[in-house]
Amino acid sequence: MYLSCVSVCMQRLIETSPWGEDAAAIEQLILNQNKFHSSIQRSQEVERARDELKMSFVRTGQLRELQNMIEEISRAIMWVNEREEEELVFNWGDKNIDVYIPKKQESYSKLMSALEVKEKELNKLKQKVDGLLKNNHPASDKIEAYMDTLQTQWSWLLQITKCIHVHLKENAAYSQFFKEANETYSKLQKEHENIRKKFTCDKGTSLENLTELLKNLEREKETIMENKRQVKNLVNKSKSIVRLRPRNPEEKSSSPSPVIVQALCDFKQDQKGIFKGDEGILTDNTQRSKWHVTGPGGLDMLIPSVCLLIPPPNPLSIGLANKNEQYYEAIMGIWNQLYINIKSLISWQYCVKDINHINSLTITMLSQMRPEEYRNIIKSLETHYQEFLRSSQGSEMFGEDEKKKMEGQYSGAQTHYDTLVIGLPTYNQSKVDVVKQEVVKLVVQHEPPIKAETTNTLQGSTLSLTLLSDLHALRRRLELAESGLSHHLHVPLGENSVQECSQRLLKLSYLRNLLQSLLQAEDVIKVHEARLTEKETTSLDLNEVENYRSSLKQMKSELEHKRDLLKAMESDLVNAVHVNSQISASFHKCDVDLSKYADLVGQMSDRWRRIQTQIDSRVWDLEKQEKQLRHFQQSSGVVDQWIDNAKQRQDTLQAAKFSDIQNLMEHLNRQKVLHSEIKGKKEKVEVIQKDADTCAASIKDYELQLASYSAGLETLLNIPIKRTVLQSPATVVREEATDLQSRYIELLTRSSDYYKFLGEMLKNMEELKTSMMVQQSQNHYTEILSERDTLLIKLKQLEQDKTRQGRYEEELNRVKVSLETELRNKQRLQEERDKIHKDFTYWKSQYELKEGQMRQCDSDKDKMERERLSLKSDLERMMVELRTVEERYKGRLQSSQGEVLDLALKRDSLERELRRLQQRPDSMSIQTQTDEKVVTVDPSKLVFDGVRRKVTAHQLCDCGIISKATLEQLLKGKRTVEDVAVDIQLSLKGTGVIAGMVRGPQGRMSITEAKTKNLLSQESAIMLLEAQAATGHIMDPKFNEKMSVDAACSRGVVDTDDRDTLMTAEAAGTGFKDPYTGKLLSIGQALKQNRLDKKTALRLLQAQESVGGILDPVLSVFLPKDLALDRNLIDEDLYRALNKKPACYLDPITEEKISYSDLRLKCRMEPASGLLLLPVPEKPMTVQGLRGEVSVTELINSNLLSETDVQKLNQGKLSSKEIEDKLKNYLHGSTCIAGIYDEANNRIMTIYQAMKEGLLRRGTTLELLEAQAASGFVIDPINNVCMNVEEAWKRGLVGKEFKDKLMSAEKAVTGYKDPHTGNTISLFQAIEKDLIEKGHGIRLLEAQIASGGIIDPKESHRIDVDIAYKRGYFDEEMNEILTYEGDDTKGFFDPNTQENLTYLQLKERCITDPKTGLVLLPLRDKTNPQQMVQQSSQKNILRKRRVVIVDPDTGKEMTVREAYHKELIDYDTFLDLSEQECEWEEITIRASDGSARMVVVDRKTGTQYDIQDSLDRGIIDQTSLDQYRLGTLTLTKFADLITSKSSLSELSITASNMEDVATCTSPTQACPSSPTVRKRFNSISITFSPTDEFDEGSPIAAIFDMETMEKITIPEALRRGIVDAITAQKLLEAQACTGGIINPTNGQRLNLQDAVHQGLIDDDMATKLKPAQKAFMGFEDVKTKRKMSVVEAMKEKWLPYEAGTRFMEFQYLTGGLLEPGKGQKTSIETAIRRGWLDGKGAQKLQDTRSHTKNLTCPKTKLKISYKEAMDSCMVEEGNGMKMLQASSMSSKGISSPYNVSNPGSRSGSRAGSLATSRTGSRSGSRRGSVDYSSSYSTFTTSASNTLRHVLF
């Protein structure tokens, strides 16, 4: 009321104020009015309105930030949830596993890539959130809650990816196992069928066939044994295969036993959880995504199936592996049975053969044999019979009856033999008696008849017969005596019978001693063997272990003490053998086989040694076991005691009781400490478990050793050893460890459960306490409300006691008081005006201060700029508000004056009414009190203004915009339409559409005007206009007017061309008219009738939603999206599409897709009009960069401008030109190597010019030019001009041959195009995406860094490495590669020292041009002796001489070879001219001892000439050498001088077969007409040698040209066209990867750098051969610096598979795989043990027939492998160098595919040359004078051809 009175008074003052009569009076009135106006501005209401408006703006901005942040986080959460849902529903079962595994691996790879990208986005989002939280955003709690949700979901998704990785690994192993197992089973089946069908036999099979079957069977065993490793491997693998079938519900339901599952990650559900590695029981898996599991502690949980793994063992895999193993064992059983059968048949055949032979013997036959012969017959029978007895055991060929029959046959044969042997002496004696009688008869008949003599003779004969009888009796006794020693002992008797008998007796004595020694040694051995077989295992008692170890040592000492027995036994055997050797061999020897005794002695010695070895092994094992067992018992005992103690403490804690929260918290802390202690012991328990496994494994090995020894004795002695089945101590150890682990897990589970229980209890008690406090507060609040109601009733009663008259009098008094204070208010307003002026001055100074601070801040410049603009807009807004308040106060003053008049009138009427009442009778003074009348408002008057039409309150209530209570208040008049309209302003009018654009002093402009001024694109402009029309009106921001589309077209606000499009958009707000029913349709309904497309509908709906909601065309109000869905304005598809926040509009600044809500956030609200206007981006200050403009903001962000620079820039003290000069190295040029400085001629040259003049090689030139292009520009060092590659090519700074490569290198500056996204990416990113080769990219990166910094291709300037890290243009791994100065990173070549260097090292050797400041590479003056001494390796300028032949018909130049193939010259001329072509250079070769020698090398042929050797041999003299050193004699002339006087050395070639030199024997080549060729033929010696004489450990070293009969290098053969480029490269690769490039002249192996230095290969070939050299030297791991072999490099993806396989084949064929860095050759077995190769890989490598045929034979022109090439080589005698034959015409009649001539041209030209007269051609060619000092010389051949010798 006070304010209204003041307003009335002010209005009256203004209306009644005079207007003045003259100018002075009017001026005074203006001053008074200004003072009055200022007083109004200083009023508290104005200040309060200003503060509230400022707070409102702040809150609006905060709400927008919150909305933007929540939407962004929600989108991220939805993305994460979508990925999660995709993975949760995936079926990891065994169905179609072979199909889904590769697909899933690919999708997993894509998911991980997407996660990497999303992680970067989330990091940016996290930075935004941190910024809001750091600025104390009022809704920080909500933002944190959303962010925590996102973080939780993200962490959960990462957990799922880990689970997916495990599933992929385990399921792939599952698939691979069953595939291999099934393949193995099929293979075993085939093997089974093969052995069944192939090996059949019976008794009718011949002995030869049986022997052949036995050999084949033994070979078959090798094939069968190959499967053993695979079968054992499958058995081992089967134990680690997971179970997949139970993942299917039907399989799980049919499983009789519970299915155990294992958690792959931590998972929590409510207060229950399961940790990674925990196991549970699967109770229900009917849902694919989530399984019901009973976890640790018996808790039931619902866990995602992707987090669970059904661990091994898998009965299916184990069963299949066992099946394969059993099948294998069955096959081996079949093999064994077949082996026994065949062996038994063979022995049976031999027995039958021997029996038949013995049975056929007669005594006459026996008497004609020597004793050894018939003894060998019976011995053979015995041996074969014993073999039959052994082999027939278990044989299916012989039953018991057949064995008995065989035994009878054997006995019969033995009896027959014994009969013959026993009767043999009698038979022999009878023959002697017959002879004697015949002798006596002859003597009697022939003696003369002299009686005395006859008597004496008869007496002598009688005496001889007597002696013979005695000897015969003695022999019989010896035979009987010897028969006791052997069955068949025959003692020969002769002239020295007594001596021989004594020798036999001595032999028998030695045999007796030997038998005694054997028995004694056997007793000792048996005792110790028995003692060693007593123990079958060890003990867990350390004392017992120690005692047994002591007893073993005692046994060992006893054996050493009794070792004399062994020596005596061996000595007796030696003596017996010695005596046996002295007996005469012409007589029957004692039939005692000493070899059996020697075998026994050897067996005893072997058993003795086995006992000693067994004792030593057991002692060592027991010592090791004792240490392990003691350590295990000690550690397990300590943990066991701790578990008991911890269990007691846990019991004590669980038994405690508590009543309040404080006690509970203390108890919880104690439990937490105990739980942490228990968890800390987990590692210790695991260590004990490992110790137990180690100890148990050691015990098992010991038991296996004992069992093996016992089994060996059983086999050796054929005596069963009784074994006692005992429990293994290893089992006890494992049980103890398992028991300890179980107790620990039980304790940990109890502790964890109790800890969780206490936590839940504490939480419940706290909640209970809080609820009690709430209840108390609620009661107290109820009491206060009741008291308040009571007071209100009292106040109401007091008010009713006041009389109406009193109220009128009080009102009149207030009016009087207000009139009296009017002048005071006027004065106060004047004071407030002064105060506002002071405040304005203060804020102005503050603004200037803030502006100065903004200039001082470099990193927050944008933020401060926005604050400055905000302050400026606030000031403008405040001024507008002041004007608004001023106008409002003027209105209020006028209304106050009107109210004063009304009050005066009311006062007069009241006075009249009072007088009238006073005149009424007293009876009328009694009044009747009646109830107040309820006022009801007409509903038709409750109308609100909608977007385009009116809407009633009932309609608003029906659609849910206002509540029924609000409607009742409106109907009863308690609230007005204006009041309610303020509350529902969002639904009635929305929050405002983007009305136009604003740009500096030009102010506001419409969308169409911005489009006309090219500030907006056509597409973006029409979209923004559509959004205006769809939300109700087209906006004219200049006049702040709204209008329809038609009106906007007529007024020129929009173009008429856009009318139809905008009319459709306007119908989205006003409604589409249904042509059938006439009803208005919403956008969603019109979409169903195809009145517009979905993309347009979605775009218009998004604009409506961003403004206020979905616009109802009937009600013309904005409705929430959910309400619009309920009212069928949109359908479910549109609803979901809107929820995804699609980017339907274009950002006018970046032209990127953006949503309408995000676009509105970029707008600026004009305070005066409240319009949303898009700011036109101001063009930032820029400077010229490498390829384009660079903004100053970018330079600040790149830390290239300092804070001081920013301040100077803001103050105008720093210009763009000064910035460019300061940052010249970052913006313009570079410090790369710009050109060449030729010291010899004191001149500066371009790099390309230096190459043209022969000062630089082509490869070096390309590297330096690529470095320039990748560093920004190609540089003209003479004119100091930088230019791009295209311009440099036009100016001739680079040649056309380099243009494409330099254009590619230039992309390191301009950026590479990502083929997938089309975005511009940097050089490093291109390397990562494999768009360029890594080594090439590293060389370009190195050049960039060395020349100023990494180039940002997007911003077109250089940046430092740390900024490059942040922008992803660099990483630490790449930094390590570039900073590591190994051979791999030295990609540039120093032409002075022939060294490989990094770019930075090469720059350090450069000089700076004092005039231009450019970096120049100096080329040393080779003629300066001082510089020649300083150079570690000296090389003359390369001198080449090439013969060019001009075709007289066409005038075209051609090489000598081309002229020969076109038959322009004959063969002799071709050879002579070819010899004149050369490519000479002088090099220095240093030996390992440091000595150096100078040689001249023809790089064309590889021929070398030692200068000192030529001088020593007199080929050159000192004068010529001095002239060459002084430069008066050129290198070419000097080389010609050496070659002309050098005699060709004899070339000796070795070939393995005649075919290798078949081409040498052809008529045209065997008898060459050329003296040169004849000279070569005379010096060639061809020798044929067997293949085994060749050195298989060396690669192919050279090429032998079959046409010129000379040995040449491989590159020379490539240049001649007789070897193709691919074959040449691979032949050189074989050399490089096996030790180095071979110099064919001396066989020396060289590295690539030395090979280039000596001219064996060029730079390009050296680059291609680098991987092959690394295969020999080793591939160096950048991180670990370890040298890797070829196989390891292939596994680590450092080497492509094809190249790696090729290098492995080369190394294997030349002796074996090489150990990196050492050059030692490794066998296949060693490579398998080291893990380099597996079985399949080794088999493939050994099978040379499967080697790739990647070479083209230079001789046959057929595809061959390297093995075939080596086999067809010729070998040079003396050095063993392999030479591969080559010719232009194939020996198979195939023309060379890489020769430029026509097929058969070479042979045809040769024939022609033989047919024609050679005199003319020879004389003609010799007549021409050749001046090698001149550039050109010409001479004429007989065919009038013109030849030119070109020296360059």
Side-chain angles (χ1 to χ4, degrees), residues 450-700:
I450 299 172
K451 187 174 183 180
E453 292 180 3
T454 303
T455 303
N456 292 334
T457 302
L458 289 174
Q459 289 178 354
S461 299
T462 304
L463 179 59
S464 298
L465 290 173
T466 303
L467 292 174
L468 184 61
S469 300
D470 292 340
L471 287 174
H472 181 69
L474 180 59
R475 187 179 67 182
R476 297 291 296 174
R477 287 164 57 190
L478 284 174
E479 288 178 356
L480 293 174
E482 289 179 355
S483 65
L485 295 174
S486 63
H487 295 288
H488 308 287
L489 184 60
H490 304 278
V491 180
L493 297 176
E495 295 178 356
N496 299 324
S497 59
V498 177
Q499 182 180 357
E500 291 180 358
C501 289
S502 64
Q503 289 178 347
R504 276 158 181 74
L505 292 175
L506 182 59
K507 176 182 177 181
L508 292 174
S509 65
Y510 282 139
L511 285 175
R512 182 185 62 218
N513 296 337
L514 177 59
L515 289 173
Q516 291 176 356
S517 300
L518 281 171
L519 291 174
Q520 292 176 0
E522 187 175 15
D523 292 340
V524 174
I525 290 171
K526 285 182 177 179
V527 170
H528 285 80
E529 285 177 344
R531 294 178 63 184
L532 288 177
T533 55
E534 290 174 354
K535 293 281 188 177
E536 297 181 10
T537 183
T538 184
S539 174
L540 296 180
D541 189 348
L542 296 176
N543 294 328
E544 291 184 9
V545 175
E546 180 63 29
N547 293 336
Y548 186 62
R549 190 155 55 88
S550 301
S551 64
L552 288 174
K553 292 181 180 178
Q554 183 64 28
M555 290 170 62
K556 183 177 181 181
S557 62
E558 291 176 0
L559 278 176
E560 292 294 333
H561 182 68
K562 295 179 180 180
R563 191 170 183 83
D564 294 338
L565 287 175
L566 194 63
K567 295 180 180 179
M569 178 177 61
E570 294 174 350
S571 177
D572 291 338
L573 177 63
V574 172
N575 292 333
V577 173
H578 177 69
V579 173
N580 189 56
S581 65
Q582 293 180 349
I583 299 176
S584 176
S586 60
F587 294 92
H588 297 172
K589 296 184 179 179
C590 181
D591 192 13
V592 177
D593 192 356
L594 290 178
S595 62
K596 293 183 178 179
Y597 292 100
D599 293 341
L600 286 174
V601 171
Q603 186 181 23
M604 292 301 170
S605 300
D606 183 61
R607 289 167 67 184
W608 189 291
R609 285 191 295 271
R610 287 188 63 199
I611 292 172
Q612 288 181 323
T613 304
Q614 188 67 209
I615 291 174
D616 293 339
S617 178
R618 292 189 185 187
V619 169
W620 186 85
D621 288 344
L622 288 174
E623 288 178 353
K624 182 179 70 172
Q625 288 177 19
E626 185 178 1
K627 294 178 182 178
Q628 294 173 347
L629 188 60
R630 180 177 286 108
H631 176 70
F632 169 72
Q633 290 179 350
Q634 290 176 354
S635 57
S636 62
V638 172
V639 175
D640 187 64
Q641 292 178 0
W642 175 84
I643 289 176
D644 293 337
N645 178 266
K647 188 175 182 181
Q648 292 178 0
R649 286 186 286 164
Q650 183 65 44
D651 294 339
T652 303
L653 287 174
Q654 289 186 352
K657 297 182 179 180
F658 33 82
S659 57
D660 56 2
I661 295 179
Q662 186 63 29
N663 292 337
L664 178 59
M665 292 180 66
E666 294 176 357
H667 196 72
L668 180 62
N669 291 333
R670 288 194 294 272
Q671 179 62 34
K672 182 179 180 181
V673 172
L674 178 59
H675 183 61
S676 300
E677 181 183 354
I678 294 173
K679 288 176 64 178
K681 291 292 182 179
K682 182 177 180 180
E683 184 176 355
K684 183 66 175 176
V685 174
E686 291 176 351
V687 171
I688 292 174
Q689 184 69 33
K690 292 180 181 178
D691 293 342
D693 293 338
T694 303
C695 191
S698 179
I699 293 173
K700 282 292 185 182

Side-chain angles (χ1 to χ4, degrees), residues 1421-1431 1434 1436 1525:
D1421 185 2
K1422 303 288 176 63
T1423 62
N1424 188 344
Q1426 295 181 353
Q1427 291 189 359
M1428 291 178 64
V1429 172
Q1430 294 174 358
Q1431 293 180 20
Q1434 181 264 340
N1436 280 352
R1525 293 299 183 202

Side-chain angles (χ1 to χ4, degrees), residues 78 92 173 216 230 363 412 419 539 719 843 891 990 1073 1081 1114 1119 1293-1294 1333 1352 1431 1633 1638 1654 1758 1766 1784:
M78 291 174 63
W92 289 100
N216 293 336
Q230 179 67 8
I363 195 166
T419 303
S539 174
I719 299 174
W843 284 112
K1073 190 173 183 180
L1081 303 177
V1114 177
L1119 300 178
L1293 293 180
V1294 298
E1333 194 268 329
D1352 188 333
Q1431 293 180 20
C1633 74
I1638 299 176
Q1654 295 191 17
L1758 301 177
M1766 291 180 66
S1784 61

